[in-house]
Every structure is written in structure tokens, then in C-alpha cells.
Amino acid sequence: MMRPANNIAAFTLFEVTMVLAIMGILVSIIAITLNRFNEQLKNSTKVQAELNDWYLFRSNLWRELYQSDSLKLNKDILAIYHSSDSVLYTIEDDTLKRKSGKLDWTSTHFEASGLREEILDGKHIFVFEFPWKNEVMHLRYSSKKTIKNQEDTYFDSLQ
């Protein structure tokens, strides 16, 4: 049997408006969520890049310190002596600067607040201070003359 055309129920204007409003709210929530996720991803990438730069700098500094024959801090300049060359570090304009051999001073692009030497139990401890998240982070390196250092320095001086 066929129904007459005047008995077919149709959506009212109010129902259509409500469906469109609900869809608009859902689309807005999805858009806000995606924007927030994009911001978090961008921040995470930025922090990861900063940490990678920091880890690279720190590993190079530690390598230079571990391979050194001797260290000396004089007037805010840390001299790291190797058998063939020397590396100097200083703080200028709140930035740690580095000089290798006969090259000019170059910026490490890391903000530094202090460079000092402490003596604890006969060991010389060199302290680099870096501001980090409103606090001071300390990188400490303990330097103590060993037989190996003395032998390396002695045999290098014979050449």
C-alpha cells in the first residue's frame, strides 16, 4: 500500500538547526584538539633539539677534559692542555666561549653563569655553572694528576 504524500514526516527547522549546531561543536572540538596536539608536537621537537645540542656540547667538553694532560684556571679562563694543542674556555657576556689552538674565540651558544675551581680532598674540581629553568646547573670535573698524565706529559716533551 502506498502512503499519501501528506503523511510523510519531515525534519522540522528546529531539528535541522540542532543537528547543525551539534556538528559544529564536534568539528570545533576536533579542530581545537588537533591544534593543541600540533603545539605540543612543536614544543616537544624544540625541547628535543635543545637537549640534543646540550648533549653534544657536554660530550665534547667531557672528551676534552678526559683527554687533557693538565688543566689550569687563571682569571676566568680555563686552559685545557693536550699534548699537541690547548683549548680555552671563558665566559663573556653571559655566554660560554671556546678557543682551540690558534683559532679565534667562538661562542658555544650556551648561557653560563660561572666557571670556578674547588679543591676537595686534594683533588681539583672544575665547576661549570649553567642557568637552567630558573636554577643553576653544575657540571663538575674532578682532575687529579695520575701516573698516566705524568708519563704522557713526559714522553710528549721528549719529542
Side-chain angles (χ1 to χ4, degrees):
M1 267 200 167
M2 287 192 54
R3 291 187 181 195
N6 60 357
N7 286 342
I8 296 176
F11 290 109
T12 64
L13 185 59
F14 177 73
E15 290 171 337
V16 171
T17 306
M18 288 304 294
V19 168
L20 289 175
I22 291 172
M23 290 302 292
I25 290 172
L26 288 176
V27 168
S28 297
I29 289 173
I30 291 170
I32 290 170
T33 303
L34 287 175
N35 283 339
R36 183 71 177 145
F37 176 73
N38 189 27
E39 288 175 18
Q40 290 299 321
L41 190 60
K42 196 183 310 180
N43 288 339
S44 174
T45 304
K46 181 180 174 185
V47 167
Q48 190 64 38
E50 288 176 2
L51 285 174
N52 285 341
D53 290 344
W54 170 252
Y55 291 146
L56 178 64
F57 164 74
R58 187 184 67 178
S59 67
N60 285 333
L61 175 63
W62 280 351
R63 181 184 49 77
E64 288 174 345
L65 291 169
Y66 286 133
Q67 292 177 350
S68 68
D69 289 333
S70 62
L71 304 170
K72 184 176 181 180
L73 183 65
N74 188 14
K75 296 182 182 179
D76 296 331
I77 295 178
L78 175 64
I80 302 172
Y81 297 104
H82 297 101
S83 60
S84 61
D85 205 0
S86 63
V87 178
L88 305 174
Y89 283 94
T90 190
I91 298 173
E92 188 176 298
D93 299 329
D94 295 329
T95 302
L96 188 65
K97 301 216 175 191
R98 179 182 185 274
K99 180 179 180 181
S100 177
K102 296 178 183 177
L103 300 175
D104 291 334
W105 287 99
T106 58
S107 175
T108 61
H109 302 291
F110 287 101
E111 188 177 342
S113 59
L115 180 59
R116 68 177 192 277
E117 180 180 8
E118 299 173 352
I119 298 177
L120 181 65
D121 296 332
K123 294 180 183 177
H124 293 266
I125 300 172
F126 296 91
V127 181
F128 292 82
E129 296 176 345
F130 299 95
W132 185 262
K133 303 212 183 268
N134 298 327
E135 291 189 22
V136 177
M137 176 179 55
H138 304 278
L139 281 183
R140 289 182 164 82
Y141 177 75
S142 175
S143 174
K144 182 180 177 187
K145 276 293 201 185
T146 63
I147 297 295
K148 178 188 173 298
N149 292 128
Q150 293 171 357
E151 287 173 356
D152 289 345
T153 306
Y154 173 76
F155 288 116
D156 285 338
S157 67
L158 292 179
Q159 295 177 351

